[in-house]
Amino acid sequence: MKIAMACHPTHGGSGVVAAELGMRLAARGNEVHFVSYERPFRLDPLTRGIHFHEVEVSSYPLFRYPPYALALANELLQVVKCEGVEIIHAHYAIPHSLAAVLARSMIPESGVKVVTTLHGTDITLVGSDPSYAGITRWAIEQSDRVTVVSDWLASATHEKLAPDQNLKTIPNAVDSKIFSPQQANPQLRARFAAPEELLVAHVSNFRPVKRVQDVVSAFARATRDSSARLLMIGQGPDLSLAQDQARKLGVSEKICWLGPIDDIASLLACCDLFLLPSESESFGLAALEAMASGLPVVSTLSGGIPDVVTAGETGYLAEVGDVDSLAEHCRVLLTDAQLRAKMSETARLKATEQFGWDQVLREYEKTYEELLSP
Ligand code: GMT
């Protein structure tokens, strides 16, 4: 098959899923064309069968906001025309789903089909914002197939945007060879923590939905009487709020602000606990990658998180904003080595057994094949 993937290239789960899926499809002999304004950070451009098409957005003094969606639709049209692409797979509805539907309308004789995968905030935040809701709903309805990354997101899509939409749940997956405790590198760990210190990690895009101040507050309370360090991986609008919070609570010297890191597997494998106190999380791929790396996860009872993190077995879950409970769960895990080891093992097992790529790849391939079969 010839497939075009339209996705956000920046650090974030939807781009990761698109890149990982594309590379696996290519490994199975498919031709996969990535279309974006930059190479997705997890995409290895040297993989056989992978092609990258950069969307160039011309600026013009008349445009206060250069129309990226139009440039993307135009590039998708070219890719369908010149490369014979049969499927456009849009990851994250805005603007990919609309651009894909536009491209399809411009070249109906090609028979190209549009698959949209909804990832979370494209429905819960941006997609349901009045300024985008109408066009997002339309693009979803016009797609030939729509998939969601969790049953929770299916319900949210029905409730907030498209009540009658047919949705197929295909969960996210993790490569448990790459995300593995075996990737741990003692020298790397020693850069961040003394031998007696434990390492807590948080990975996100530091948007308000991630509640990064709760990460700092919970860590500060949990480590009042113990010695641990916090790795804050990523960047985004709430970075300075989190840094202010750290100064206010007097824990700045215990925190390393690492910014975005492309290859986090070896770093995660050096850590002992993952903290993700999100307001909403359709799936929580960051938590899954941490689990595969052998980290128990302390997170919130939000969105699809309870399907990934089993409370009491692979970590603990608190109500959103309940910093005391988050801190207590972290404290317990940081002080009880036996419990931590048991949960680490169960987390790794659950990630490997329930969220491997084989089944997920089959489901996406089946989705494409159904659309292409006469
Ligand atoms: O979490 C983000 O803000 C990034 C966003 C994305 O699309 O890149 O993540 C969403 O998609 C991921 C992959 O499917 C999910 O694992 C995340 O839970 C989801 N984020 C939210 O729902 C907030």
Side-chain angles (χ1 to χ4, degrees):
M1 284 181 279
K2 293 189 178 188
I3 303 138
M5 294 278 177
C7 66
H8 292 292
T10 43
H11 289 86
S14 55
V16 168
V17 174
E20 298 277 358
L21 172 63
M23 289 190 289
R24 281 171 175 79
L25 287 165
R28 284 173 53 80
N30 300 291
E31 196 176 298
V32 187
H33 296 263
F34 278 81
V35 185
S36 192
Y37 60 90
E38 249 170 36
R39 179 175 63 80
F41 79 100
R42 280 265 180 105
L43 184 69
D44 177 359
L46 302 181
T47 310
R48 182 191 288 269
I50 290 290
H51 306 263
F52 174 62
H53 304 260
E54 184 182 337
V55 179
E56 286 181 38
V57 193
S58 309
S59 61
Y60 185 68
L62 187 64
F63 299 149
R64 185 161 172 198
Y65 305 107
Y68 177 69
L70 301 188
L72 173 62
N74 196 64
E75 189 62 37
L76 286 170
L77 170 68
Q78 295 309 319
V79 173
V80 173
K81 246 190 206 166
C82 305
E83 310 289 348
V85 155
E86 304 156 279
I87 299 276
I88 304 175
H89 192 163
H91 285 268
Y92 203 93
I94 304 170
H96 305 116
S97 193
L98 174 69
V101 168
L102 275 179
R104 186 191 60 191
S105 316
M106 287 187 274
I107 191 161
E109 66 280 12
S110 67
V112 67
K113 305 289 183 201
V114 172
V115 175
T116 291
T117 291
L118 304 174
H119 281 272
T121 48
D122 47 353
I123 294 300
T124 55
L125 293 176
V126 205
S128 47
D129 184 278
S131 60
Y132 293 116
I135 201 156
T136 307
R137 180 183 303 114
W138 184 80
I140 290 171
E141 285 167 359
Q142 294 299 311
S143 301
D144 295 295
R145 284 285 187 286
V146 184
T147 76
V148 284
V149 296
S150 65
D151 289 339
W152 178 86
L153 185 58
S155 306
T157 307
H158 287 145
E159 190 190 309
K160 284 180 178 269
L161 212 66
D164 303 321
Q165 182 63 46
N166 190 9
L167 299 167
K168 176 177 179 178
T169 300
I170 305 183
N172 290 330
V174 65
D175 185 330
S176 49
K177 284 200 192 84
I178 291 178
F179 288 90
S180 157
Q182 290 187 347
Q183 300 283 347
N185 168 348
Q187 279 118 23
L188 183 61
R189 186 187 162 96
R191 278 176 48 193
F192 301 109
E196 71 285 3
E197 285 175 327
L198 294 178
L199 268 179
V200 180
H202 170 79
V203 181
S204 80
N205 47 29
F206 289 53
R207 301 219 175 99
V209 71
K210 302 293 177 179
R211 298 185 68 96
V212 281
Q213 287 157 290
D214 287 1
V215 177
V216 173
S217 303
F219 171 78
R221 278 179 223 185
T223 55
R224 261 181 208 143
D225 309 315
S226 64
S227 174
R229 305 243 156 208
L230 173 63
L231 299 185
M232 293 292 271
I233 304 162
Q235 71 178 20
D238 283 357
L239 171 63
S240 54
L241 287 179
Q243 290 176 329
D244 286 348
Q245 181 81 341
R247 277 189 286 273
K248 207 168 90 192
L249 299 174
V251 288
S252 295
E253 76 290 352
K254 290 181 169 183
I255 303 180
C256 252
W257 308 91
L258 292 175
I261 292 184
D262 284 1
D263 175 14
I264 50 162
S266 50
L267 197 53
L268 279 177
C270 294
C271 296
D272 302 288
L273 176 64
F274 192 75
L275 183 48
L276 187 72
S278 306
E279 172 105 43
S280 164
E281 203 67 67
S282 68
F283 182 90
L285 184 57
L288 179 61
E289 291 181 341
M291 284 165 57
S293 309
L295 272 60
V297 173
V298 172
S299 187
T300 42
L301 283 155
S302 63
I305 287 281
D307 292 342
V308 178
V309 180
T310 312
E313 287 180 28
T314 67
Y316 291 112
L317 301 176
E319 295 294 341
V320 172
D322 184 351
V323 175
D324 283 337
S325 298
L326 288 166
E328 179 55 15
H329 293 320
C330 289
R331 192 195 61 75
V332 167
L333 275 163
L334 288 172
T335 49
D336 186 338
Q338 223 178 335
L339 176 70
R340 207 169 56 246
K342 188 161 170 265
M343 283 201 173
S344 157
E345 201 179 312
T346 318
R348 162 94 185 145
L349 206 68
K350 180 169 180 186
T352 314
E353 289 184 351
Q354 280 187 32
F355 294 100
W357 261 105
D358 288 356
Q359 175 67 14
V360 168
L361 182 60
R362 263 198 301 277
E363 288 297 325
Y364 279 118
E365 279 183 332
K366 213 164 82 189
T367 306
Y368 302 154
E369 281 158 9
E370 280 167 10
L371 283 174
L372 296 180
S373 62

